Amino acid sequence: MTEARAVLVTGSTGGIGTATVRLLQSRGFTVYAGARGPAEFEPGVRVVPLDVADPESVAAAAKRVAGEVDGLWAVINNAGVIVQGPLELVPADEWRRQLEVNTLGPASVVREFLPLVRAGHGRIVNVSAATGRVAMPLLGALSASKAGLEALSNALRLELAAWKIPVVVIEPGTTGTEIFARAGAAADAAMQQADRDRVGLYQAHLAAYEKAMGRFKPGPVEKVAEVIVRAVESRRPRRRYAIAEARTLGAILPKLPPGLRDRVLSSAVGLNGMKL
């Protein structure tokens, strides 16, 4: 690489984000690491305060980056949260948090940073999930937020075709990050505030879901980072990169007859044959 091309990574302070920042830097990119809180990286990584759920924070970050570079080679929308639980028990503020971070956040980042991407003949890379194409029980909030990100990405790809700006969707499988532990802790806190009678209705669902999730072996974050960097470096990136079980969940299940698909999904989270 003859010159360092600049990229922005949101949600850089853990898991996939941290691994992506480090790999991009090792590949010679100038990396802007968007961070909602304190962050420490190797010398050369430029940490930018950035809370994707706060439009003013996003605008300030874009202004700072624009003052340092003439364009961006890529914007990687990686920041995300998981809100889990039955729809009936998920509080309104948790639904709002889910959508603000996973759907409205990327839209805000694209809106503010797009002039830099256009100037740098760059691309948009959105980290989604297979649940955006196949809604999972007890993950309705996450599925809704990622379905929104999928729709946003597909519309944006057509809108930016005139400038030949690729819009790429990354679908990680189950990955060994702290996001799942944080999701579980948040769900437990929400359950404590919910109506006890309503929570009692879902005890069997929640126990079955926890047992089923325990059977999944999370993959390393480095594998996801490698795919993201491949999409960043490729001269002609694909529209979608699916990793591990996301290939099955996102590509095969949507083609099944609805009844069969429902049975497969119920079985996957331990809800098949449940009697109340």
Side-chain angles (χ1 to χ4, degrees):
M1 199 174 299
T2 57
E3 61 180 10
R5 291 179 287 190
V7 298
L8 170 76
V9 182
T10 71
S12 66
T13 55
I16 294 171
T18 298
T20 300
V21 167
R22 288 173 174 162
L23 186 55
L24 283 167
Q25 187 191 36
S26 74
R27 300 287 295 174
F29 288 90
T30 296
V31 183
Y32 285 89
R36 192 165 64 94
E40 292 185 5
F41 290 100
E42 292 80 359
V45 173
R46 305 180 185 184
V47 178
V48 181
L50 176 56
D51 180 352
V52 300
D54 181 354
E56 292 184 0
S57 172
V58 177
K63 183 177 180 179
R64 172 182 162 177
V65 175
E68 298 182 11
V69 297
D70 295 327
L72 286 173
W73 179 250
V75 164
I76 302 165
N77 278 308
N78 168 71
V81 296
I82 295 175
V83 172
Q84 63 188 35
L87 186 150
E88 186 176 6
L89 301 183
V90 175
D93 58 348
E94 282 293 275
W95 268 95
R96 190 172 298 109
R97 180 172 72 96
Q98 179 76 96
L99 296 171
E100 285 178 346
V101 175
N102 287 15
T103 313
L104 300 180
S108 180
V109 169
V110 169
R111 186 166 54 247
E112 295 295 341
F113 282 89
L114 193 51
L116 282 170
V117 174
R118 187 179 285 112
H121 306 287
R123 62 201 57 194
I124 306 294
V125 179
N126 293 330
V127 179
S128 184
T131 48
R133 291 196 283 167
V134 179
M136 295 286 290
L138 303 185
L139 289 173
L142 173 65
S143 297
S145 71
K146 292 300 187 180
L149 182 60
E150 291 279 343
L152 180 159
S153 300
N154 291 335
L156 186 65
R157 184 179 299 112
L158 301 181
E159 293 169 5
L160 301 183
W163 295 278
K164 298 182 179 179
I165 297 174
V167 177
V168 180
V169 171
I170 307 291
E171 286 184 358
T174 305
T175 310
T177 75
E178 294 181 358
I179 191 171
F180 296 100
R182 291 196 295 268
D188 290 342
M191 295 303 106
Q192 294 298 320
Q193 300 300 317
D195 179 90
R196 303 316 303 165
D197 291 336
R198 291 195 180 194
V199 173
L201 295 173
Y202 290 98
Q203 285 298 341
H205 294 70
L206 296 170
Y209 174 80
E210 184 175 354
K211 182 179 179 179
M213 292 302 101
R215 294 197 296 265
F216 283 91
K217 183 179 180 181
V221 295
E222 289 78 13
K223 292 294 184 182
V224 182
E226 289 171 4
V227 174
I228 292 173
V229 173
R230 190 187 312 157
V232 169
E233 292 185 326
S234 175
R235 190 168 66 90
R236 292 184 178 177
R238 302 203 300 261
R239 291 175 175 84
R240 182 182 306 275
Y241 295 81
I243 305 163
E245 75 272 9
R247 288 191 291 269
T248 301
L249 184 61
I252 297 177
L253 289 184
K255 300 177 182 178
L256 297 178
L260 176 58
R261 183 174 64 244
D262 286 351
R263 290 193 295 274
V264 170
L265 291 172
S266 292
S267 178
V269 295
L271 302 186
N272 57 315
M274 181 170 292
K275 297 180 180 180
L276 301 178

